[in-house]
Amino acid sequence: MSGRNAREGNARDGTANDGGELAAVFAALYGAEPDGVWAAPGRVNLIGEHTDYNEGFVLPFAIDRTARVAVRLRRGDPGMLRVATLQGDGGRDDGGRRRSGVVEVAPDAMEPTAVPPWARYIAGVVWAFRQRGVDVPALDVLLDSDVPIGAGLSSSAAIECAVALAVDDLTGSALGREELVLLCRRAENDFVGVPTGILDQSASLLGTAEHALFLDCRSREARQVSLPLAAAGLSILVVDTKVSHAHDTGGYKGLVAACVRGARELGVPALRDVPASRLGEARDVLDYVTFHRVRHIVTENERVLETVRLLEGAGAAGAEADGAEADGPDADGAAAKARGPGAIGDLLTASHASMRDDFEISCAELDLAVDAALGAGALGARMTGGGFGGSAIALVRRDAAGTVTERVREAFAEAGYARPDIFGVAPGPGARRL
């Protein structure tokens, strides 16, 4: 789906959440039991938007909503890929869930135009394995998911990572999760045609419960950062605005091009190498639009580092700021602030302002969600994901979650917007076999 189309319904409706249930539907569809069922989560990017393909810093966490695939290898058959989904627009199975028809993709026709858009993420992963020289035989795949589509929660990466883990297990390729991150990114970049970084796939494959993943997108070094929301009496609400976005329709590519142009004109390999002290110079040498894109990336990297400092303790993240200002925000000032997740709200809100004003990827619905949540007492709020629609997140005290939810829904009704889907998420485990 693309554009700013209102989406209907709840992503959890009509899903086979249990691995055994999905396996049973698979058997009824394909006439044989699957070899297994694998799950991979969507993600919320706590902070660090569009910094990944600029070789910067990000801080996502895996959420407790997943894409699930039941998969069977058909050894001895030609490499035909057969895929189906419970989230399609076709008929319904006996349990009343939506079910598409089976899509068949011959090995000599493994191209994006040969499959419907939802199946490209599956076919792309199979293609990427074969490009690496892995012998992937014929496969049957049945997909189900409760990660909202087009909501900025990486439903596509969840599909890719679930399929990649399944193929890795079943073929014995033993690539390792870090390599699977790169393989899934190649599938999205070179097969689907979206120039994303490694943020989404890293969160889905490397995430752990009750932690965010602090990722250096240049070195690909990652560490887990404790995010004890429940212990702190806090919750993160997702406000799915029902405004769909699609990264393959041009806007995302234009942002990437502006960042590449800015780095080239400033004489650096990537915008991660531009310290805040050069922003004055950047204003003088760059055109208006490119400067504002650059300023978002530079300041967003600083916000990620400061968020990690507040969660871990001052100075821990600064040592890894290769190419960014080594000391980052004033260490003494940070030391005077409260630690833990309750201290990061202002940084989330500042991130949204930067995405709205400098990167220009927000929309009226996202801005209203953020403003209404803050007005109802949220500690911080921002849009999350690639932009042009999707979701906002709000950091709230757990006892205020109901009040914030009610106020956001009221604000949307008053503005004449579609009713948003609002739900809490918790940092959950990464991709796994069920």
Side-chain angles (χ1 to χ4, degrees), residues 57 274-277 298-307 309 314-335 337 347:
F57 306 100
V274 179
S277 59
V298 172
T299 58
E300 187 79 345
N301 275 322
E302 288 197 330
R303 285 185 287 269
V304 174
L305 296 173
E306 176 67 355
T307 298
R309 290 189 184 100
E320 299 191 33
D322 173 37
E325 289 195 292
D327 293 331
D330 185 275
D332 292 334
K337 296 179 181 178
L347 291 165

Side-chain angles (χ1 to χ4, degrees), residues 272-286:
R272 181 252 186 72
D273 300 299
V274 179
S277 59
R278 289 194 66 189
L279 285 176
E281 172 196 351
R283 185 188 293 273
D284 292 336
V285 302
L286 300 175

Side-chain angles (χ1 to χ4, degrees), residues 11 17 19 39 58 77 151 200 219-220 230 236 297 312 321 333 344 410 424 430:
N17 288 301
V58 294
D77 288 352
D200 299 341
S219 68
R220 302 203 308 272
I236 288 181
I297 299 301
E312 288 190 330
I344 67 173
E410 288 175 349

Side-chain angles (χ1 to χ4, degrees), residues 137-273:
L139 289 176
D140 291 337
V141 180
L142 177 61
L143 166 69
D144 197 15
S145 180
D146 59 9
V147 183
I149 297 170
L153 302 179
S154 295
S155 58
S156 59
I159 296 170
E160 293 163 355
C161 293
V163 173
L165 194 60
V167 173
D168 188 60
D169 284 353
L170 294 174
T171 62
S173 56
L175 294 183
R177 296 207 173 205
E178 289 78 9
E179 285 302 309
L180 291 179
V181 167
L182 299 180
L183 184 144
C184 289
R185 181 182 64 173
R186 184 179 185 189
E188 188 141 356
N189 290 177
D190 298 342
F191 190 88
V192 180
V194 181
T196 59
I198 61 173
L199 185 160
D200 299 341
Q201 295 85 358
S202 295
S204 189
L205 282 161
L206 306 178
T208 61
E210 298 187 3
H211 288 78
L213 183 74
F214 178 45
L215 178 64
D216 180 332
C217 295
R218 169 171 287 167
S219 68
R220 302 203 308 272
E221 293 180 2
R223 72 167 182 263
Q224 304 294 331
V225 175
S226 180
L227 190 61
L229 296 172
L234 299 173
S235 178
I236 288 181
L237 295 178
V238 172
V239 181
D240 179 0
T241 65
K242 302 301 182 75
V243 177
S244 291
H245 73 164
H247 285 166
D248 57 355
T249 54
Y252 197 99
K253 295 178 182 178
L255 294 169
V256 174
C259 292
V260 170
R261 182 170 61 250
R264 182 179 64 248
E265 294 186 14
L266 291 172
V268 295
L271 291 184
R272 181 252 186 72
D273 300 299

Side-chain angles (χ1 to χ4, degrees), residues 15 52 55 64 66 79 129 165 201 241 266 364 373 404 422-423 429:
T15 60
D52 56 342
E55 301 185 13
D64 46 358
T66 62
F129 269 100
L165 194 60
Q201 295 85 358
T241 65
L266 291 172
V404 173
I422 304 176
F423 52 90

